[in-house]
PDB file of all heavy atoms in Angstrom:
ATOM      1  N   LYS A   1      34.331 351.090 224.076  1.00  0.00           N
ATOM      2  CA  LYS A   1      34.956 349.985 223.352  1.00  0.00           C
ATOM      3  C   LYS A   1      34.645 350.083 221.861  1.00  0.00           C
ATOM      4  O   LYS A   1      35.521 349.868 221.016  1.00  0.00           O
ATOM      5  CB  LYS A   1      34.461 348.647 223.905  1.00  0.00           C
ATOM      6  CG  LYS A   1      35.127 347.439 223.263  1.00  0.00           C
ATOM      7  CD  LYS A   1      34.677 346.143 223.913  1.00  0.00           C
ATOM      8  CE  LYS A   1      35.378 344.941 223.282  1.00  0.00           C
ATOM      9  NZ  LYS A   1      34.953 343.668 223.917  1.00  0.00           N
ATOM     10  N   THR A   2      33.391 350.436 221.540  1.00  0.00           N
ATOM     11  CA  THR A   2      33.008 350.595 220.135  1.00  0.00           C
ATOM     12  C   THR A   2      33.800 351.707 219.473  1.00  0.00           C
ATOM     13  O   THR A   2      34.288 351.558 218.343  1.00  0.00           O
ATOM     14  CB  THR A   2      31.498 350.902 220.032  1.00  0.00           C
ATOM     15  OG1 THR A   2      30.765 349.826 220.629  1.00  0.00           O
ATOM     16  CG2 THR A   2      31.069 351.051 218.587  1.00  0.00           C
ATOM     17  N   LEU A   3      33.939 352.825 220.171  1.00  0.00           N
ATOM     18  CA  LEU A   3      34.744 353.932 219.646  1.00  0.00           C
ATOM     19  C   LEU A   3      36.190 353.508 219.460  1.00  0.00           C
ATOM     20  O   LEU A   3      36.824 353.818 218.440  1.00  0.00           O
ATOM     21  CB  LEU A   3      34.687 355.120 220.610  1.00  0.00           C
ATOM     22  CG  LEU A   3      33.692 356.238 220.304  1.00  0.00           C
ATOM     23  CD1 LEU A   3      33.692 357.258 221.435  1.00  0.00           C
ATOM     24  CD2 LEU A   3      34.010 356.911 218.984  1.00  0.00           C
ATOM     25  N   GLY A   4      36.717 352.804 220.461  1.00  0.00           N
ATOM     26  CA  GLY A   4      38.106 352.370 220.387  1.00  0.00           C
ATOM     27  C   GLY A   4      38.356 351.419 219.230  1.00  0.00           C
ATOM     28  O   GLY A   4      39.354 351.532 218.516  1.00  0.00           O
ATOM     29  N   LEU A   5      37.424 350.473 219.021  1.00  0.00           N
ATOM     30  CA  LEU A   5      37.589 349.524 217.925  1.00  0.00           C
ATOM     31  C   LEU A   5      37.590 350.228 216.570  1.00  0.00           C
ATOM     32  O   LEU A   5      38.283 349.816 215.642  1.00  0.00           O
ATOM     33  CB  LEU A   5      36.468 348.482 217.966  1.00  0.00           C
ATOM     34  CG  LEU A   5      36.535 347.455 219.102  1.00  0.00           C
ATOM     35  CD1 LEU A   5      35.279 346.609 219.124  1.00  0.00           C
ATOM     36  CD2 LEU A   5      37.768 346.562 218.944  1.00  0.00           C
ATOM     37  N   ARG A   6      36.799 351.307 216.454  1.00  0.00           N
ATOM     38  CA  ARG A   6      36.733 352.023 215.172  1.00  0.00           C
ATOM     39  C   ARG A   6      37.924 352.947 214.976  1.00  0.00           C
ATOM     40  O   ARG A   6      38.503 353.003 213.891  1.00  0.00           O
ATOM     41  CB  ARG A   6      35.432 352.846 215.098  1.00  0.00           C
ATOM     42  CG  ARG A   6      35.291 353.612 213.768  1.00  0.00           C
ATOM     43  CD  ARG A   6      35.280 352.660 212.593  1.00  0.00           C
ATOM     44  NE  ARG A   6      35.291 353.316 211.303  1.00  0.00           N
ATOM     45  CZ  ARG A   6      36.381 353.552 210.587  1.00  0.00           C
ATOM     46  NH1 ARG A   6      37.583 353.219 211.071  1.00  0.00           N
ATOM     47  NH2 ARG A   6      36.309 354.108 209.394  1.00  0.00           N
ATOM     48  N   LEU A   7      38.295 353.683 216.008  1.00  0.00           N
ATOM     49  CA  LEU A   7      39.330 354.707 215.849  1.00  0.00           C
ATOM     50  C   LEU A   7      40.744 354.173 216.076  1.00  0.00           C
ATOM     51  O   LEU A   7      41.708 354.817 215.675  1.00  0.00           O
ATOM     52  CB  LEU A   7      39.066 355.869 216.813  1.00  0.00           C
ATOM     53  CG  LEU A   7      37.743 356.624 216.587  1.00  0.00           C
ATOM     54  CD1 LEU A   7      37.590 357.728 217.623  1.00  0.00           C
ATOM     55  CD2 LEU A   7      37.682 357.206 215.185  1.00  0.00           C
ATOM     56  N   LYS A   8      40.854 353.012 216.700  1.00  0.00           N
ATOM     57  CA  LYS A   8      42.190 352.457 216.974  1.00  0.00           C
ATOM     58  C   LYS A   8      42.454 351.186 216.174  1.00  0.00           C
ATOM     59  O   LYS A   8      43.159 350.286 216.641  1.00  0.00           O
ATOM     60  CB  LYS A   8      42.356 352.183 218.470  1.00  0.00           C
ATOM     61  CG  LYS A   8      42.398 353.438 219.320  1.00  0.00           C
ATOM     62  CD  LYS A   8      42.934 353.182 220.714  1.00  0.00           C
ATOM     63  CE  LYS A   8      42.044 352.272 221.510  1.00  0.00           C
ATOM     64  NZ  LYS A   8      42.527 352.118 222.905  1.00  0.00           N
ATOM     65  N   ARG A   9      41.875 351.126 214.993  1.00  0.00           N
ATOM     66  CA  ARG A   9      42.152 349.974 214.132  1.00  0.00           C
ATOM     67  C   ARG A   9      43.645 349.908 213.836  1.00  0.00           C
ATOM     68  O   ARG A   9      44.341 350.929 213.857  1.00  0.00           O
ATOM     69  CB  ARG A   9      41.358 350.074 212.832  1.00  0.00           C
ATOM     70  CG  ARG A   9      39.857 350.129 213.040  1.00  0.00           C
ATOM     71  CD  ARG A   9      39.113 350.099 211.722  1.00  0.00           C
ATOM     72  NE  ARG A   9      39.212 348.783 211.097  1.00  0.00           N
ATOM     73  CZ  ARG A   9      38.422 347.770 211.384  1.00  0.00           C
ATOM     74  NH1 ARG A   9      37.476 347.909 212.289  1.00  0.00           N
ATOM     75  NH2 ARG A   9      38.551 346.619 210.782  1.00  0.00           N
ATOM     76  N   ARG A  10      44.151 348.743 213.538  1.00  0.00           N
ATOM     77  CA  ARG A  10      45.581 348.546 213.370  1.00  0.00           C
ATOM     78  C   ARG A  10      46.164 349.529 212.363  1.00  0.00           C
ATOM     79  O   ARG A  10      45.737 349.598 211.213  1.00  0.00           O
ATOM     80  CB  ARG A  10      45.855 347.113 212.901  1.00  0.00           C
ATOM     81  CG  ARG A  10      47.336 346.768 212.804  1.00  0.00           C
ATOM     82  CD  ARG A  10      47.527 345.291 212.614  1.00  0.00           C
ATOM     83  NE  ARG A  10      46.827 344.802 211.426  1.00  0.00           N
ATOM     84  CZ  ARG A  10      46.732 343.521 211.101  1.00  0.00           C
ATOM     85  NH1 ARG A  10      47.253 342.612 211.887  1.00  0.00           N
ATOM     86  NH2 ARG A  10      46.091 343.164 210.000  1.00  0.00           N
ATOM     87  N   GLY A  11      47.130 350.309 212.834  1.00  0.00           N
ATOM     88  CA  GLY A  11      47.825 351.263 211.967  1.00  0.00           C
ATOM     89  C   GLY A  11      47.075 352.553 211.720  1.00  0.00           C
ATOM     90  O   GLY A  11      47.551 353.413 210.981  1.00  0.00           O
ATOM     91  N   ALA A  12      45.910 352.723 212.340  1.00  0.00           N
ATOM     92  CA  ALA A  12      45.096 353.911 212.058  1.00  0.00           C
ATOM     93  C   ALA A  12      45.697 355.159 212.701  1.00  0.00           C
ATOM     94  O   ALA A  12      46.065 355.154 213.873  1.00  0.00           O
ATOM     95  CB  ALA A  12      43.676 353.709 212.565  1.00  0.00           C
ATOM     96  N   ARG A  13      45.804 356.220 211.901  1.00  0.00           N
ATOM     97  CA  ARG A  13      46.193 357.542 212.404  1.00  0.00           C
ATOM     98  C   ARG A  13      45.251 358.552 211.752  1.00  0.00           C
ATOM     99  O   ARG A  13      45.011 358.502 210.546  1.00  0.00           O
ATOM    100  CB  ARG A  13      47.654 357.864 212.063  1.00  0.00           C
ATOM    101  CG  ARG A  13      48.671 356.963 212.748  1.00  0.00           C
ATOM    102  CD  ARG A  13      50.079 357.308 212.303  1.00  0.00           C
ATOM    103  NE  ARG A  13      50.456 358.644 212.753  1.00  0.00           N
ATOM    104  CZ  ARG A  13      51.358 359.397 212.134  1.00  0.00           C
ATOM    105  NH1 ARG A  13      51.918 358.964 211.011  1.00  0.00           N
ATOM    106  NH2 ARG A  13      51.669 360.578 212.606  1.00  0.00           N
ATOM    107  N   TRP A  14      44.749 359.469 212.552  1.00  0.00           N
ATOM    108  CA  TRP A  14      43.711 360.380 212.093  1.00  0.00           C
ATOM    109  C   TRP A  14      44.193 361.819 212.083  1.00  0.00           C
ATOM    110  O   TRP A  14      44.926 362.242 212.981  1.00  0.00           O
ATOM    111  CB  TRP A  14      42.490 360.286 213.018  1.00  0.00           C
ATOM    112  CG  TRP A  14      41.843 358.945 213.037  1.00  0.00           C
ATOM    113  CD1 TRP A  14      42.197 357.871 213.794  1.00  0.00           C
ATOM    114  CD2 TRP A  14      40.728 358.527 212.237  1.00  0.00           C
ATOM    115  NE1 TRP A  14      41.375 356.803 213.533  1.00  0.00           N
ATOM    116  CE2 TRP A  14      40.457 357.180 212.580  1.00  0.00           C
ATOM    117  CE3 TRP A  14      39.932 359.158 211.288  1.00  0.00           C
ATOM    118  CZ2 TRP A  14      39.423 356.452 212.000  1.00  0.00           C
ATOM    119  CZ3 TRP A  14      38.899 358.442 210.710  1.00  0.00           C
ATOM    120  CH2 TRP A  14      38.655 357.100 211.065  1.00  0.00           C
ATOM    121  N   ASN A  15      43.781 362.550 211.059  1.00  0.00           N
ATOM    122  CA  ASN A  15      43.927 363.994 211.153  1.00  0.00           C
ATOM    123  C   ASN A  15      43.034 364.450 212.302  1.00  0.00           C
ATOM    124  O   ASN A  15      41.878 364.023 212.411  1.00  0.00           O
ATOM    125  CB  ASN A  15      43.479 364.675 209.851  1.00  0.00           C
ATOM    126  CG  ASN A  15      44.432 364.391 208.706  1.00  0.00           C
ATOM    127  OD1 ASN A  15      45.644 364.285 208.897  1.00  0.00           O
ATOM    128  ND2 ASN A  15      43.887 364.244 207.511  1.00  0.00           N
ATOM    129  N   LYS A  16      43.567 365.294 213.141  1.00  0.00           N
ATOM    130  CA  LYS A  16      42.839 365.666 214.357  1.00  0.00           C
ATOM    131  C   LYS A  16      41.461 366.248 214.038  1.00  0.00           C
ATOM    132  O   LYS A  16      40.492 366.008 214.758  1.00  0.00           O
ATOM    133  CB  LYS A  16      43.669 366.666 215.165  1.00  0.00           C
ATOM    134  CG  LYS A  16      43.115 366.928 216.552  1.00  0.00           C
ATOM    135  CD  LYS A  16      44.030 367.835 217.350  1.00  0.00           C
ATOM    136  CE  LYS A  16      43.436 368.116 218.732  1.00  0.00           C
ATOM    137  NZ  LYS A  16      44.309 369.028 219.516  1.00  0.00           N
ATOM    138  N   ARG A  17      41.375 366.990 212.920  1.00  0.00           N
ATOM    139  CA  ARG A  17      40.091 367.613 212.582  1.00  0.00           C
ATOM    140  C   ARG A  17      39.026 366.586 212.208  1.00  0.00           C
ATOM    141  O   ARG A  17      37.827 366.884 212.220  1.00  0.00           O
ATOM    142  CB  ARG A  17      40.277 368.601 211.427  1.00  0.00           C
ATOM    143  CG  ARG A  17      40.635 367.946 210.104  1.00  0.00           C
ATOM    144  CD  ARG A  17      40.737 368.954 208.979  1.00  0.00           C
ATOM    145  NE  ARG A  17      41.029 368.340 207.696  1.00  0.00           N
ATOM    146  CZ  ARG A  17      42.247 368.041 207.267  1.00  0.00           C
ATOM    147  NH1 ARG A  17      43.302 368.338 208.024  1.00  0.00           N
ATOM    148  NH2 ARG A  17      42.432 367.467 206.090  1.00  0.00           N
ATOM    149  N   ASN A  18      39.458 365.353 211.872  1.00  0.00           N
ATOM    150  CA  ASN A  18      38.494 364.322 211.472  1.00  0.00           C
ATOM    151  C   ASN A  18      38.068 363.423 212.632  1.00  0.00           C
ATOM    152  O   ASN A  18      37.165 362.592 212.467  1.00  0.00           O
ATOM    153  CB  ASN A  18      39.092 363.454 210.368  1.00  0.00           C
ATOM    154  CG  ASN A  18      39.256 364.212 209.061  1.00  0.00           C
ATOM    155  OD1 ASN A  18      38.520 365.155 208.784  1.00  0.00           O
ATOM    156  ND2 ASN A  18      40.241 363.822 208.258  1.00  0.00           N
ATOM    157  N   VAL A  19      38.715 363.570 213.793  1.00  0.00           N
ATOM    158  CA  VAL A  19      38.372 362.710 214.927  1.00  0.00           C
ATOM    159  C   VAL A  19      36.964 363.018 215.430  1.00  0.00           C
ATOM    160  O   VAL A  19      36.162 362.110 215.668  1.00  0.00           O
ATOM    161  CB  VAL A  19      39.404 362.872 216.064  1.00  0.00           C
ATOM    162  CG1 VAL A  19      38.938 362.117 217.309  1.00  0.00           C
ATOM    163  CG2 VAL A  19      40.763 362.355 215.624  1.00  0.00           C
ATOM    164  N   GLN A  20      36.658 364.310 215.580  1.00  0.00           N
ATOM    165  CA  GLN A  20      35.339 364.681 216.088  1.00  0.00           C
ATOM    166  C   GLN A  20      34.207 364.201 215.185  1.00  0.00           C
ATOM    167  O   GLN A  20      33.223 363.621 215.675  1.00  0.00           O
ATOM    168  CB  GLN A  20      35.251 366.196 216.288  1.00  0.00           C
ATOM    169  CG  GLN A  20      33.953 366.664 216.938  1.00  0.00           C
ATOM    170  CD  GLN A  20      33.773 366.118 218.334  1.00  0.00           C
ATOM    171  OE1 GLN A  20      34.589 366.378 219.202  1.00  0.00           O
ATOM    172  NE2 GLN A  20      32.722 365.336 218.565  1.00  0.00           N
ATOM    173  N   PRO A  21      34.291 364.397 213.862  1.00  0.00           N
ATOM    174  CA  PRO A  21      33.230 363.868 213.000  1.00  0.00           C
ATOM    175  C   PRO A  21      33.045 362.360 213.124  1.00  0.00           C
ATOM    176  O   PRO A  21      31.907 361.871 213.179  1.00  0.00           O
ATOM    177  CB  PRO A  21      33.689 364.263 211.590  1.00  0.00           C
ATOM    178  CG  PRO A  21      34.515 365.482 211.798  1.00  0.00           C
ATOM    179  CD  PRO A  21      35.232 365.253 213.096  1.00  0.00           C
ATOM    180  N   MET A  22      34.161 361.605 213.180  1.00  0.00           N
ATOM    181  CA  MET A  22      34.034 360.156 213.287  1.00  0.00           C
ATOM    182  C   MET A  22      33.494 359.743 214.647  1.00  0.00           C
ATOM    183  O   MET A  22      32.692 358.807 214.756  1.00  0.00           O
ATOM    184  CB  MET A  22      35.388 359.487 213.035  1.00  0.00           C
ATOM    185  CG  MET A  22      35.806 359.471 211.581  1.00  0.00           C
ATOM    186  SD  MET A  22      34.572 358.674 210.493  1.00  0.00           S
ATOM    187  CE  MET A  22      34.485 357.026 211.182  1.00  0.00           C
ATOM    188  N   ALA A  23      33.911 360.453 215.703  1.00  0.00           N
ATOM    189  CA  ALA A  23      33.400 360.148 217.035  1.00  0.00           C
ATOM    190  C   ALA A  23      31.891 360.433 217.093  1.00  0.00           C
ATOM    191  O   ALA A  23      31.121 359.656 217.667  1.00  0.00           O
ATOM    192  CB  ALA A  23      34.137 360.967 218.087  1.00  0.00           C
ATOM    193  N   SER A  24      31.479 361.538 216.483  1.00  0.00           N
ATOM    194  CA  SER A  24      30.049 361.866 216.452  1.00  0.00           C
ATOM    195  C   SER A  24      29.273 360.829 215.654  1.00  0.00           C
ATOM    196  O   SER A  24      28.160 360.440 216.029  1.00  0.00           O
ATOM    197  CB  SER A  24      29.841 363.259 215.839  1.00  0.00           C
ATOM    198  OG  SER A  24      30.400 364.266 216.656  1.00  0.00           O
ATOM    199  N   LEU A  25      29.854 360.361 214.547  1.00  0.00           N
ATOM    200  CA  LEU A  25      29.203 359.321 213.743  1.00  0.00           C
ATOM    201  C   LEU A  25      28.961 358.065 214.570  1.00  0.00           C
ATOM    202  O   LEU A  25      27.858 357.504 214.575  1.00  0.00           O
ATOM    203  CB  LEU A  25      30.074 358.981 212.530  1.00  0.00           C
ATOM    204  CG  LEU A  25      29.652 357.737 211.732  1.00  0.00           C
ATOM    205  CD1 LEU A  25      28.344 357.987 211.009  1.00  0.00           C
ATOM    206  CD2 LEU A  25      30.740 357.345 210.739  1.00  0.00           C
ATOM    207  N   VAL A  26      29.989 357.615 215.295  1.00  0.00           N
ATOM    208  CA  VAL A  26      29.853 356.402 216.104  1.00  0.00           C
ATOM    209  C   VAL A  26      28.818 356.612 217.213  1.00  0.00           C
ATOM    210  O   VAL A  26      27.992 355.739 217.493  1.00  0.00           O
ATOM    211  CB  VAL A  26      31.216 355.997 216.701  1.00  0.00           C
ATOM    212  CG1 VAL A  26      31.055 354.806 217.643  1.00  0.00           C
ATOM    213  CG2 VAL A  26      32.201 355.641 215.583  1.00  0.00           C
ATOM    214  N   CYS A  27      28.866 357.789 217.862  1.00  0.00           N
ATOM    215  CA  CYS A  27      27.919 358.074 218.943  1.00  0.00           C
ATOM    216  C   CYS A  27      26.480 358.102 218.432  1.00  0.00           C
ATOM    217  O   CYS A  27      25.575 357.545 219.059  1.00  0.00           O
ATOM    218  CB  CYS A  27      28.267 359.411 219.603  1.00  0.00           C
ATOM    219  SG  CYS A  27      29.753 359.365 220.626  1.00  0.00           S
ATOM    220  N   VAL A  28      26.260 358.729 217.295  1.00  0.00           N
ATOM    221  CA  VAL A  28      24.910 358.794 216.734  1.00  0.00           C
ATOM    222  C   VAL A  28      24.450 357.416 216.278  1.00  0.00           C
ATOM    223  O   VAL A  28      23.305 357.011 216.497  1.00  0.00           O
ATOM    224  CB  VAL A  28      24.858 359.801 215.564  1.00  0.00           C
ATOM    225  CG1 VAL A  28      23.531 359.695 214.813  1.00  0.00           C
ATOM    226  CG2 VAL A  28      25.046 361.220 216.084  1.00  0.00           C
ATOM    227  N   ARG A  29      25.356 356.677 215.642  1.00  0.00           N
ATOM    228  CA  ARG A  29      25.007 355.363 215.095  1.00  0.00           C
ATOM    229  C   ARG A  29      24.526 354.407 216.178  1.00  0.00           C
ATOM    230  O   ARG A  29      23.599 353.611 215.960  1.00  0.00           O
ATOM    231  CB  ARG A  29      26.228 354.761 214.378  1.00  0.00           C
ATOM    232  CG  ARG A  29      26.119 353.285 214.042  1.00  0.00           C
ATOM    233  CD  ARG A  29      25.040 353.027 213.010  1.00  0.00           C
ATOM    234  NE  ARG A  29      24.860 351.608 212.785  1.00  0.00           N
ATOM    235  CZ  ARG A  29      23.960 350.841 213.403  1.00  0.00           C
ATOM    236  NH1 ARG A  29      23.156 351.374 214.311  1.00  0.00           N
ATOM    237  NH2 ARG A  29      23.852 349.558 213.138  1.00  0.00           N
ATOM    238  N   HIS A  30      25.120 354.447 217.361  1.00  0.00           N
ATOM    239  CA  HIS A  30      24.817 353.467 218.395  1.00  0.00           C
ATOM    240  C   HIS A  30      23.930 354.019 219.504  1.00  0.00           C
ATOM    241  O   HIS A  30      23.908 353.452 220.609  1.00  0.00           O
ATOM    242  CB  HIS A  30      26.120 352.918 218.972  1.00  0.00           C
ATOM    243  CG  HIS A  30      26.925 352.136 217.975  1.00  0.00           C
ATOM    244  ND1 HIS A  30      26.590 350.854 217.592  1.00  0.00           N
ATOM    245  CD2 HIS A  30      28.024 352.470 217.245  1.00  0.00           C
ATOM    246  CE1 HIS A  30      27.464 350.416 216.693  1.00  0.00           C
ATOM    247  NE2 HIS A  30      28.335 351.372 216.461  1.00  0.00           N
ATOM    248  N   THR A  31      23.214 355.105 219.231  1.00  0.00           N
ATOM    249  CA  THR A  31      22.305 355.661 220.230  1.00  0.00           C
ATOM    250  C   THR A  31      20.954 355.979 219.590  1.00  0.00           C
ATOM    251  O   THR A  31      20.712 355.646 218.429  1.00  0.00           O
ATOM    252  CB  THR A  31      22.885 356.942 220.875  1.00  0.00           C
ATOM    253  OG1 THR A  31      23.014 357.963 219.865  1.00  0.00           O
ATOM    254  CG2 THR A  31      24.244 356.669 221.502  1.00  0.00           C
ATOM    255  N   SER A  32      20.123 356.661 220.342  1.00  0.00           N
ATOM    256  CA  SER A  32      18.767 356.963 219.886  1.00  0.00           C
ATOM    257  C   SER A  32      18.711 358.085 218.859  1.00  0.00           C
ATOM    258  O   SER A  32      17.613 358.436 218.395  1.00  0.00           O
ATOM    259  CB  SER A  32      17.903 357.349 221.100  1.00  0.00           C
ATOM    260  OG  SER A  32      17.923 356.345 222.087  1.00  0.00           O
ATOM    261  N   GLN A  33      19.854 358.660 218.471  1.00  0.00           N
ATOM    262  CA  GLN A  33      19.857 359.779 217.536  1.00  0.00           C
ATOM    263  C   GLN A  33      19.985 359.355 216.072  1.00  0.00           C
ATOM    264  O   GLN A  33      19.890 360.198 215.179  1.00  0.00           O
ATOM    265  CB  GLN A  33      20.984 360.755 217.875  1.00  0.00           C
ATOM    266  CG  GLN A  33      20.759 361.523 219.166  1.00  0.00           C
ATOM    267  CD  GLN A  33      21.847 362.547 219.410  1.00  0.00           C
ATOM    268  OE1 GLN A  33      23.036 362.228 219.462  1.00  0.00           O
ATOM    269  NE2 GLN A  33      21.446 363.799 219.553  1.00  0.00           N
ATOM    270  N   TRP A  34      20.179 358.078 215.825  1.00  0.00           N
ATOM    271  CA  TRP A  34      20.420 357.612 214.460  1.00  0.00           C
ATOM    272  C   TRP A  34      19.246 357.913 213.528  1.00  0.00           C
ATOM    273  O   TRP A  34      19.414 358.560 212.492  1.00  0.00           O
ATOM    274  CB  TRP A  34      20.717 356.116 214.483  1.00  0.00           C
ATOM    275  CG  TRP A  34      20.952 355.474 213.139  1.00  0.00           C
ATOM    276  CD1 TRP A  34      20.136 354.590 212.512  1.00  0.00           C
ATOM    277  CD2 TRP A  34      22.082 355.662 212.275  1.00  0.00           C
ATOM    278  NE1 TRP A  34      20.690 354.192 211.315  1.00  0.00           N
ATOM    279  CE2 TRP A  34      21.886 354.835 211.134  1.00  0.00           C
ATOM    280  CE3 TRP A  34      23.243 356.436 212.344  1.00  0.00           C
ATOM    281  CZ2 TRP A  34      22.790 354.769 210.074  1.00  0.00           C
ATOM    282  CZ3 TRP A  34      24.149 356.369 211.294  1.00  0.00           C
ATOM    283  CH2 TRP A  34      23.930 355.550 210.180  1.00  0.00           C
ATOM    284  N   GLU A  35      18.065 357.481 213.879  1.00  0.00           N
ATOM    285  CA  GLU A  35      16.902 357.710 213.014  1.00  0.00           C
ATOM    286  C   GLU A  35      16.513 359.186 212.932  1.00  0.00           C
ATOM    287  O   GLU A  35      16.197 359.677 211.843  1.00  0.00           O
ATOM    288  CB  GLU A  35      15.722 356.842 213.468  1.00  0.00           C
ATOM    289  CG  GLU A  35      15.920 355.354 213.213  1.00  0.00           C
ATOM    290  CD  GLU A  35      16.184 355.031 211.744  1.00  0.00           C
ATOM    291  OE1 GLU A  35      15.697 355.770 210.861  1.00  0.00           O
ATOM    292  OE2 GLU A  35      16.886 354.036 211.479  1.00  0.00           O
ATOM    293  N   PRO A  36      16.489 359.919 214.066  1.00  0.00           N
ATOM    294  CA  PRO A  36      16.189 361.364 213.951  1.00  0.00           C
ATOM    295  C   PRO A  36      17.124 362.103 213.012  1.00  0.00           C
ATOM    296  O   PRO A  36      16.683 363.000 212.280  1.00  0.00           O
ATOM    297  CB  PRO A  36      16.333 361.873 215.391  1.00  0.00           C
ATOM    298  CG  PRO A  36      15.995 360.683 216.237  1.00  0.00           C
ATOM    299  CD  PRO A  36      16.552 359.506 215.483  1.00  0.00           C
ATOM    300  N   TYR A  37      18.414 361.721 212.993  1.00  0.00           N
ATOM    301  CA  TYR A  37      19.336 362.397 212.076  1.00  0.00           C
ATOM    302  C   TYR A  37      18.938 362.145 210.639  1.00  0.00           C
ATOM    303  O   TYR A  37      18.863 363.088 209.830  1.00  0.00           O
ATOM    304  CB  TYR A  37      20.775 361.914 212.307  1.00  0.00           C
ATOM    305  CG  TYR A  37      21.722 362.420 211.236  1.00  0.00           C
ATOM    306  CD1 TYR A  37      22.204 363.715 211.276  1.00  0.00           C
ATOM    307  CD2 TYR A  37      22.087 361.606 210.152  1.00  0.00           C
ATOM    308  CE1 TYR A  37      23.027 364.213 210.271  1.00  0.00           C
ATOM    309  CE2 TYR A  37      22.910 362.093 209.145  1.00  0.00           C
ATOM    310  CZ  TYR A  37      23.384 363.390 209.211  1.00  0.00           C
ATOM    311  OH  TYR A  37      24.190 363.884 208.201  1.00  0.00           O
ATOM    312  N   TRP A  38      18.666 360.905 210.278  1.00  0.00           N
ATOM    313  CA  TRP A  38      18.352 360.589 208.880  1.00  0.00           C
ATOM    314  C   TRP A  38      16.972 361.089 208.469  1.00  0.00           C
ATOM    315  O   TRP A  38      16.724 361.327 207.295  1.00  0.00           O
ATOM    316  CB  TRP A  38      18.497 359.084 208.646  1.00  0.00           C
ATOM    317  CG  TRP A  38      19.922 358.674 208.654  1.00  0.00           C
ATOM    318  CD1 TRP A  38      20.592 358.035 209.636  1.00  0.00           C
ATOM    319  CD2 TRP A  38      20.901 358.979 207.646  1.00  0.00           C
ATOM    320  NE1 TRP A  38      21.915 357.876 209.321  1.00  0.00           N
ATOM    321  CE2 TRP A  38      22.135 358.447 208.101  1.00  0.00           C
ATOM    322  CE3 TRP A  38      20.848 359.612 206.417  1.00  0.00           C
ATOM    323  CZ2 TRP A  38      23.306 358.565 207.353  1.00  0.00           C
ATOM    324  CZ3 TRP A  38      22.023 359.722 205.659  1.00  0.00           C
ATOM    325  CH2 TRP A  38      23.230 359.202 206.131  1.00  0.00           C
TER     326      TRP A  38
END
């Protein structure tokens, strides 16, 4: 749901090459990997 809310915002269309980076950002942000990354 969190991924969907971010990537499916009204009118949002993504270059396919940018979907993976944004998906990884959301996954890292909302899991235990956030602090280790920074």
Side-chain angles (χ1 to χ4, degrees):
K1 184 176 181 180
T2 301
L3 263 175
L5 288 173
R6 181 60 186 95
L7 298 179
K8 292 196 296 184
R9 301 185 71 84
R10 185 169 57 186
R13 295 177 66 206
W14 297 84
N15 291 325
K16 190 175 179 181
R17 68 177 182 275
N18 291 332
V19 172
Q20 185 63 61
M22 285 304 300
S24 294
L25 169 69
V26 175
C27 288
V28 170
R29 167 66 185 94
H30 295 284
T31 64
S32 305
Q33 290 184 303
W34 178 249
E35 290 303 331
Y37 171 79
W38 288 104

